[in-house]
Amino acid sequence: MMTSSFVLMTFAICELIIAVGPSELLRIGAIDVDGHFSFHPADLASVSSDFGMLKSPEKPLAVFQPSSTEDVARLVRTAYGSATAFPVSARGHGHSINGQAAVGRNGVVVEMNHRESGTPEPLVRPEEMYVDVWGGELWVDVLTKTLEHGLAPKSWTDYLYLSVGGTLSNAGISGQAFHHGPQISNVLELDVVTGKGEVMRCSEEENTRLFHGVLGGLGQFGIITRARISLEPAPQRVRWIRVLYSSFKVFTEDQEYLISMHGQLKFDYVEGFVIVDEGLVNNWRSSFFSPRNPVKISSVSSNGSVLYCLEITKNYHDSDSETVDQEIEVLMKKLNFIPTSVFTTDLQYVDFLDRVHKAELKLRSKNLWEVPHPWLNLFVPKSRISDFDKGVFKGILGNKTSGPILIYPMNKDKWDERSSAVTPDEEVFYLVALLRSALTDGEETQKLEYLKDQNRKILEFCEQAKINVKQYLPHHETQEEWVDHFGDKWDRFRSMKAEFDPRHILATGQRIFRNPS
Ligand code: FAD
């Protein structure tokens, strides 16, 4: 056993010598770091695939498990200063879909979430209402730490086993975004290692251009090693309510009304999903309809048509349990859902935030988690959402979806235009998230090629119908598509790349710029 792993490691090191040349290898080996370089095949394999499982895994030359910002900076300085620059990609938790955290066979993956590498623990400052966290920290661990002080971040993703650096490189959205904005709107300060290996502290006051550019910047300008996240007093409990609609117009009117409320009397979370087949009522994102609240779609839907489920929550403290009922009653009176379709549950705040993990455990137990995920996330302008409904939910999708389809609106004024994140040019836009899983031995409609083809048809439909969607967690093949994606933001994005990562070392898996030079 020892011998075979020694042979494999020797083989990996030889590969490294051939690819980057003996001088670069000597330079990597000589970098004075506290963290750890691994060339072990098992470590290389563990970072070569992602949640999407859509690309053939390609092993990097080395995995680096840093223990500090300076460690990351030393590696990047070496890559930048080498005769032939080599790519370096931060990997959060590898929950990308299209290889965005991959680095290719000539590069080094920085495993930001390696537990044993001695990276700093989250540091909560209760008086200042913020927490300082390592860029590879998972949000679930940030929550655990802040709750010790009765505090919590304000804006979330639906799933907490994602890294801080990974979601801040995109946006980080969930049902709180209508009110608090995405996670990138709730960051006070960052430490960033640029593509030249410089460590830069940035915020609204200091290195402002880099601060906004890195937020939503798809890892192109620097590796986030520390983020200062704004906190609020953590609620103790959550009333979680779902109601159904058969009219898309009424459903979206109610969603838009709810996200226009910002005072004390409002729901704290607004999401929703589309139900095109009965199976979906009890899918992994909607388990609470059963067994305590069994629902027969036939009882609320005529002739198997599409249904829409509004999902809302009200946070509260134990001491407010009397008034919460009255507040919810007042809020619900303004909504026009199917009266017999109210499903309510009540749980601890932490259990609500961590809800998708429970679904993950169930799917893992059935071997249905580690399967290909041809996910497609789109921001759709409000003015065209009903055209999207007709063309996609009631058209292209047919009556089988192979996974949840989320839909919820957000307010553009909660997004900072100076960030690199791209959204449609309208005051309100919707996230439509087609979160499908492919099965090799399933029906035709569950196969990967079928689902990928549907995604292509959806994008084509939007183009032909001139619905100006923007991809969230974007994946584009050509630079022309990227230029189109960024629109007005492209010139700034390109000039920041030239300034902060001139040799194109960082996050090459996004495939926005040509390879390192
Ligand atoms: P990775 O996949 O490891 O990295 C993503 C990109 O960010 C790569 O380009 C990488 O190089 C770069 N990167 C990673 N760390 C850093 C860093 N420290 N500094 C600079 N760049 C870095 N997103 C939402 O917004 N809302 C949701 O509700 C949501 N739910 C999800 C549920 C599931 C089950 C999954 C699989 C994903 C979900 N996502 C959601 C998407 C998620 O936000 C992205 O996948 C995101 O990339 C975070 O994943 P990660 O930390 O694993 O990053």
Side-chain angles (χ1 to χ4, degrees):
M1 186 66 190
M2 278 284 288
T3 325
S4 70
S5 83
F6 177 75
V7 170
L8 284 170
M9 266 172 70
T10 313
F11 180 70
I13 291 170
C14 290
E15 258 195 285
L16 183 65
I17 294 173
I18 293 161
V20 296
S23 59
E24 273 74 23
L25 178 62
L26 285 176
R27 293 188 70 182
I28 291 179
I31 308 173
D32 179 20
V33 286
D34 297 323
H36 176 68
F37 281 102
S38 173
F39 307 102
H40 195 286
D43 288 336
L44 302 185
S46 79
V47 299
S48 60
S49 183
D50 62 19
F51 182 79
M53 287 176 62
L54 302 181
K55 307 232 164 200
S56 331
E58 199 176 28
K59 287 186 190 162
L61 287 168
V63 178
F64 180 48
Q65 293 146 357
S67 69
S68 66
T69 298
E70 190 46 35
D71 266 4
V72 177
R74 284 180 185 161
L75 169 68
V76 178
R77 278 202 288 273
T78 307
Y80 177 64
S82 294
T84 313
F86 56 88
V88 174
S89 268
R91 177 181 166 100
H93 211 210
H95 277 52
S96 292
I97 297 300
N98 291 289
Q100 284 93 338
V103 79
R105 58 194 297 276
N106 294 334
V108 178
V109 170
V110 184
E111 203 181 359
M112 294 295 288
N113 183 245
H114 189 72
R115 302 310 306 161
E116 284 96 50
S117 47
T119 48
E121 291 278 305
L123 185 65
V124 184
R125 297 274 185 209
E127 307 78 36
E128 285 97 351
M129 301 288 275
Y130 65 67
V131 57
D132 276 325
V133 294
W134 172 249
E137 202 68 58
L138 299 187
W139 283 99
V140 68
D141 298 323
V142 178
L143 177 64
T144 306
K145 274 280 170 208
T146 56
L147 282 179
E148 287 170 12
H149 301 263
L151 300 172
K154 302 168 188 170
S155 183
W156 291 99
T157 48
D158 293 347
Y159 175 64
L160 305 185
Y161 290 72
L162 303 170
S163 79
V164 170
T167 70
L168 296 186
S169 297
N170 286 290
I173 48 174
S174 182
Q176 305 86 6
F178 78 93
H179 179 62
H180 289 295
Q183 291 180 322
I184 54 172
S185 296
N186 292 277
V187 179
L188 304 172
E189 190 177 273
L190 297 172
D191 283 345
V192 170
V193 175
T194 70
K196 297 177 186 169
E198 297 160 326
V199 180
M200 292 182 76
R201 180 149 298 177
C202 52
S203 65
E204 194 63 71
E205 287 78 38
E206 196 179 353
N207 296 313
T208 316
R209 214 164 89 87
L210 181 63
F211 178 65
H212 292 296
V214 164
L215 294 170
L218 306 177
Q220 295 305 301
F221 315 126
I223 296 181
I224 300 167
T225 56
R226 181 186 61 93
R228 179 166 289 178
I229 314 285
S230 173
L231 301 175
E232 65 177 1
Q236 287 166 324
R237 295 200 69 80
V238 171
R239 188 67 54 80
W240 185 7
I241 301 161
R242 282 172 171 169
V243 291
L244 296 175
Y245 295 76
S246 52
S247 157
F248 186 70
K249 185 168 177 288
V250 178
F251 167 70
T252 48
E253 275 170 5
D254 276 1
Q255 278 196 324
E256 287 166 23
Y257 164 71
L258 289 170
I259 69 154
S260 71
M261 304 177 83
H262 291 292
Q264 194 56 32
L265 190 63
K266 63 164 185 340
F267 283 109
D268 295 294
Y269 161 105
V270 178
E271 284 204 10
F273 55 92
V274 181
I275 303 168
V276 305
D277 51 351
E278 182 156 351
L280 264 188
V281 170
N282 294 321
N283 76 15
W284 60 278
R285 294 296 287 260
S286 58
S287 50
F288 94 61
F289 278 128
S290 68
R292 278 171 53 203
N293 282 318
V295 58
K296 268 258 157 273
I297 285 296
S298 46
S299 67
V300 280
S301 147
S302 59
N303 59 42
S305 58
V306 177
L307 284 174
Y308 308 94
C309 178
L310 171 69
E311 180 172 76
I312 42 192
T313 71
K314 185 83 191 145
N315 300 336
Y316 66 100
H317 282 81
D318 287 332
S319 54
D320 302 330
S321 52
E322 305 257 299
T323 49
V324 73
D325 289 330
Q326 290 154 21
E327 286 178 19
I328 291 173
E329 203 185 318
V330 173
L331 287 165
M332 298 285 282
K333 273 205 177 115
K334 300 271 172 66
L335 305 179
N336 297 300
F337 50 85
I338 299 170
T340 52
S341 72
V342 184
F343 306 93
T344 304
T345 191
D346 195 283
L347 69 178
Q348 289 199 13
Y349 187 56
V350 61
D351 291 333
F352 173 72
L353 290 181
D354 204 22
R355 62 203 178 280
V356 174
H357 184 52
K358 294 194 178 65
E360 172 187 353
L361 296 177
K362 269 193 213 155
L363 289 181
R364 278 189 186 281
S365 71
K366 296 179 189 162
N367 288 330
L368 290 174
W369 185 255
E370 286 178 18
V371 297
H373 294 104
W375 286 9
L376 180 65
N377 285 271
L378 298 173
F379 288 144
V380 183
K382 168 187 150 172
S383 64
R384 303 301 305 277
I385 193 69
S386 75
D387 297 323
F388 191 93
D389 171 56
K390 285 183 207 115
V392 178
F393 304 147
K394 295 191 178 111
I396 294 170
L397 287 185
N399 61 359
K400 288 271 185 300
T401 62
S402 297
I405 300 172
L406 310 188
I407 170 168
Y408 57 90
M410 281 167 278
N411 296 305
K412 192 175 171 89
D413 66 356
K414 298 286 175 181
W415 293 62
D416 194 321
E417 262 310 288
R418 295 168 298 175
S419 83
S420 296
V422 176
T423 59
D425 205 7
E426 280 189 21
E427 283 314 303
V428 170
F429 59 88
Y430 280 78
L431 170 76
V432 175
L434 297 118
L435 309 178
R436 283 111 59 88
S437 304
L439 301 179
T440 33
D441 50 359
E443 292 169 26
E444 193 52 32
T445 55
Q446 295 172 311
K447 298 245 164 80
L448 181 59
E449 275 317 309
Y450 180 90
L451 296 171
K452 277 167 58 175
D453 190 52
Q454 264 197 345
N455 287 347
R456 269 191 296 275
K457 285 186 178 140
I458 292 169
L459 291 170
E460 268 166 33
F461 162 75
C462 292
E463 200 172 320
Q464 276 159 17
K466 297 198 168 31
I467 303 177
N468 289 327
V469 295
K470 293 288 179 192
Q471 282 189 38
Y472 177 56
L473 314 169
H475 170 62
H476 296 291
E477 296 289 345
T478 65
Q479 197 172 69
E480 205 186 344
E481 287 170 353
W482 279 112
V483 173
D484 188 49
H485 171 81
F486 282 106
D488 292 350
K489 291 190 175 182
W490 172 250
D491 285 344
R492 190 186 62 190
F493 200 82
R494 195 181 44 181
S495 91
M496 286 192 61
K497 186 72 174 174
E499 184 178 347
F500 295 107
D501 182 21
R503 296 192 76 184
H504 299 181
I505 287 168
L506 301 176
T508 50
Q510 299 277 4
R511 300 163 61 154
I512 305 175
F513 297 97
R514 65 185 155 67
N515 283 340
S517 53

